[in-house]
Amino acid sequence: MTDIPLEEPDDTTGGAWAAVWSMSLCVAMLIASEFMPVSLLTPMAEGLGATTGQTGQAISISGLFAVVTSLAITTIAGRINRKTVLVVLTTLMLISLVVVALAPSFAVLMAGRALLGVCVGGFWSLATSILMRLVPEADVPRALGLMYGGQAIAAAFAAPLGSYLGDIVGWRGVFWALTPVVALNLVWHLVALPSLPVSARASFATFGTLLKRRYFRRGLVAITFTWGSAFTMFTYLRPFLEQVTGVGVDLLSVLLLVLGAAGFVGSSLSGRMVGGRVERMLCLPALVMGGCTAALLIAGGSVIEAGLLLAIWGAMNTAMSVIWMSWMSRNVDDLPEAAGGLMVAVIQASILLGGVIGGFLLDLWAIEATFAGSVVLAIVALAITGTGRNLLKPKTES
């Protein structure tokens, strides 16, 4: 069983890097759109007449639809040129932002977030396989670092700006502010992306082929607990900083800026540090981020200590994606689109479960219970990942 036969794009030189930068901006907008409710959770809940825990599900619902789309996108897209698919998905993101900004009720908000989930699942499923076609194999980690640099940009500026501007123009105004940037990105896609044709339809049977590989199955389980831990904590970061650290809107924006700005360091270093032994780095996200979350439970009452811990957490949060996608590109390089779809489905399911579990613990007990749950998931992730050697493709499959 093989993946979709792919034809090389027309431009594999300098123009390909312009396409990588265009995808990086799209990542920034996806992250900003998907996780903006984190910085606006409290005012959105008040404006829509919902609890904080319920409003956190606005992130979870996008994750649910991203799961479904990530599994179906290659089959639904069939032989459609992948450039066209990316343009359509970016258009859906633009429509979603408008729906959310206009939402008169919680139900309409969730519908808009569901539409965003379609875009998230489709884009992330195809992103790594497209990068593998745009640049030489040796440059894939660098390209991943650039693309996930878009995640760092969103983390650095979207959350603090969302928190700050939300206090001035309201949470609806924040979502409106994203729409012109997404529209410009849509135009950039049309100009910069080369033709990315495919010559055959995908098959769901390819997923079965991948899931028969023990090392890949174990990797998916490790990813589940790693991302689940991260987003059980991250989804409810604002309530923690407000209730435990005791910050107002201004300091909240500063702390979110610190967290996001550290992502630049994470994306830059991880793109360069992922060498031939990527397995050595697979345990770092759960170890570092879980450790920071545990430390916040102890020292989170201090603004300075919370800021330092969030900086470390933010750097590793961005590096996490580069590390695990580099693992995929090297160990499942024969089935990149199918592997990307499965990984995105697992990641989005983990984000969904993280939001649900975190919201349940918050509403049932307190924000400290949410963070403690995140630490437990990180410990499980570490136990599964181990040294990373059991997540490598056997030499017999090379």
Side-chain angles (χ1 to χ4, degrees), residues 35-46 52 59 158-168 170-171 174 232-253 255-256 259 310 362 367 370-371:
F35 300 115
M36 189 62 77
V38 170
S39 63
L40 299 169
L41 205 60
T42 304
M44 287 180 69
E46 294 173 352
T52 302
I59 293 176
L161 281 177
S163 175
Y164 179 75
L165 293 176
D167 196 49
I168 298 174
W171 64 269
V174 175
T232 298
M233 176 272 207
F234 183 65
T235 305
Y236 300 96
L237 180 57
R238 176 166 179 162
F240 180 89
L241 294 176
E242 290 175 333
Q243 298 172 25
V244 178
T245 311
V247 302
V249 173
D250 291 340
L251 269 179
L252 174 66
S253 299
L255 289 174
L256 292 176
L259 182 150
L310 289 178
L362 174 59
I367 190 63
T370 298
F371 275 44

Side-chain angles (χ1 to χ4, degrees), residues 39-369:
S39 63
L40 299 169
L41 205 60
T42 304
M44 287 180 69
E46 294 173 352
L48 294 169
T51 69
T52 302
Q54 287 174 332
T55 308
Q57 309 313 315
I59 293 176
S60 301
I61 192 66
S62 63
L64 174 62
F65 277 79
V67 169
V68 176
T69 305
S70 62
L71 293 174
I73 185 66
T74 54
T75 300
I76 293 174
R79 298 184 181 182
I80 299 174
N81 191 294
R82 293 307 184 241
K83 174 178 179 176
T84 301
V85 176
L86 291 185
V87 168
V88 170
L89 291 172
T90 306
T91 302
L92 290 179
M93 175 166 52
L94 182 61
I95 296 172
S96 168
L97 287 171
V98 174
V99 172
V100 170
L102 293 173
S105 65
F106 185 72
V108 175
L109 172 76
M110 296 295 271
R113 298 290 297 175
L115 187 60
L116 177 66
V118 173
C119 178
V120 170
F123 181 89
W124 283 120
S125 295
L126 300 174
T128 300
S129 64
I130 288 175
L131 288 183
M132 291 169 67
R133 299 174 64 186
L134 291 174
V135 301
E137 180 181 357
D139 289 333
V140 170
R142 178 189 168 200
L144 284 169
L146 285 175
M147 187 176 72
Y148 284 102
Q151 177 180 345
I153 291 173
F157 297 108
L161 281 177
S163 175
Y164 179 75
L165 293 176
D167 196 49
I168 298 174
V169 300
W171 64 269
R172 296 180 189 275
V174 175
F175 284 98
W176 277 120
L178 294 175
T179 57
V181 184
V182 175
L184 287 173
N185 190 205
L186 183 59
V187 175
W188 195 0
H189 277 346
L190 292 169
V191 174
L193 286 170
S195 178
L196 296 164
V198 295
S199 57
R201 294 184 63 88
S203 169
F204 281 112
T206 311
F207 293 140
T209 300
L210 277 175
L211 292 174
K212 289 178 181 178
R213 302 178 183 181
R214 178 181 294 181
Y215 74 93
F216 186 68
R217 292 199 309 270
R218 191 178 184 99
L220 291 181
V221 176
I223 288 169
T224 298
F225 285 96
T226 300
W227 258 267
S229 169
F231 284 92
T232 298
M233 176 272 207
F234 183 65
T235 305
Y236 300 96
L237 180 57
R238 176 166 179 162
F240 180 89
L241 294 176
E242 290 175 333
Q243 298 172 25
V244 178
T245 311
V247 302
V249 173
D250 291 340
L251 269 179
L252 174 66
S253 299
V254 171
L255 289 174
L256 292 176
L257 179 61
V258 167
L259 182 150
F264 286 109
V265 179
S267 62
S268 177
L269 291 181
S270 58
R272 293 179 173 87
M273 292 176 62
V274 176
R277 304 297 295 275
V278 67
E279 72 276 9
R280 294 178 176 177
M281 302 184 70
L282 295 177
C283 68
L284 290 181
L287 178 64
V288 174
M289 297 166 73
C292 287
T293 302
L296 280 170
L297 284 170
I298 300 172
S302 166
V303 174
I304 294 177
E305 293 181 12
L308 290 173
L309 290 169
L310 289 178
I312 298 171
W313 193 98
M316 186 52 65
N317 181 51
T318 307
M320 174 171 66
S321 299
V322 178
I323 291 169
W324 279 101
M325 288 303 175
S326 294
W327 166 78
M328 188 211 84
S329 71
R330 295 180 181 181
N331 290 277
V332 208
D333 53 332
D334 58 326
L335 300 169
E337 287 199 350
L342 281 173
M343 286 186 66
V344 170
V346 167
I347 288 170
Q348 291 299 324
S350 302
I351 293 172
L352 167 65
L353 291 175
V356 170
I357 293 171
F360 174 77
L361 293 173
L362 174 59
D363 286 343
L364 186 61
W365 285 298
I367 190 63
E368 289 86 355

Side-chain angles (χ1 to χ4, degrees), residues 373-392:
S374 172
V375 174
V376 171
L377 293 176
I379 293 172
V380 176
L382 284 171
I384 296 170
T385 304
T387 63
R389 293 180 181 177
N390 54 1
L391 304 183
L392 296 179

